[in-house]
Amino acid sequence: MLHVLFVCEHNSARSQMAEAYLQRLGGDEVAVESCGLEAGILNPLVVEVMAEEGFDLSGKTTQAAFDLIKKGRSYDAVITVCSQKASEQCPLFPGRALRLNWPFDDPSRLEGSKEEKLARVREIREQIKACLLYTSRRG
């Protein structure tokens, strides 16, 4: 089984979306978790746009990377989904995990009306989904 961790700044948006999609894509062949450099509050816009795709994130909680390290977790791949600068703050997990950075815009920093923000979160969602689909096809 492949163990994958997605990390963003607060585990409130991008990492949660990536976790949900990879869990659906990988089924029983992948164990997926997500965390943040620190725990935050789940972004309600993310909950709304993921529900459009059949994911119920409303009951999800956020967690910090260091909490997973304290639990002794190790991964085959650690994928940061934040900026390169933020990803450099990600702690090293035990083991020989492949480390990747897939920088997506941060939904918590979006400006505009609710509809404008929702449209942009949908774009980010689609970018994450496309990245995962492309990667899964490449093997």
Side-chain angles (χ1 to χ4, degrees), residues 35-118:
C35 67
L37 299 175
E38 57 187 44
I41 298 170
L42 198 58
N43 186 317
L45 299 176
V46 169
V47 173
E48 189 171 335
V49 301
M50 290 302 283
E52 295 169 358
E53 296 272 306
F55 295 98
D56 181 6
L57 301 184
S58 62
K60 294 278 291 178
T61 58
T62 63
Q63 57 186 346
F66 284 107
D67 293 336
L68 296 176
I69 289 173
K70 288 178 194 174
K71 293 177 183 177
R73 297 285 212 310
S74 64
Y75 301 92
D76 299 303
V78 175
I79 304 169
T80 55
V81 289
C82 48
S83 70
Q84 180 64 39
K85 182 179 177 182
S87 75
E88 292 168 2
Q89 298 173 30
C90 183
L92 294 177
F93 285 82
R96 301 181 64 201
L98 171 67
R99 289 180 59 103
L100 300 170
N101 176 243
W102 295 346
F104 298 105
D105 290 342
D106 185 350
S108 72
R109 292 195 173 101
L110 298 176
E111 296 181 3
S113 68
K114 180 180 179 185
E115 287 308 314
E116 291 169 329
K117 290 179 186 178
L118 280 170

Side-chain angles (χ1 to χ4, degrees), residues 112-130:
S113 68
K114 180 180 179 185
E115 287 308 314
E116 291 169 329
K117 290 179 186 178
L118 280 170
R120 187 66 188 108
V121 173
R122 286 183 188 105
E123 289 174 14
I124 295 166
R125 176 193 69 195
E126 293 305 309
Q127 291 168 353
I128 290 170
K129 183 169 50 172

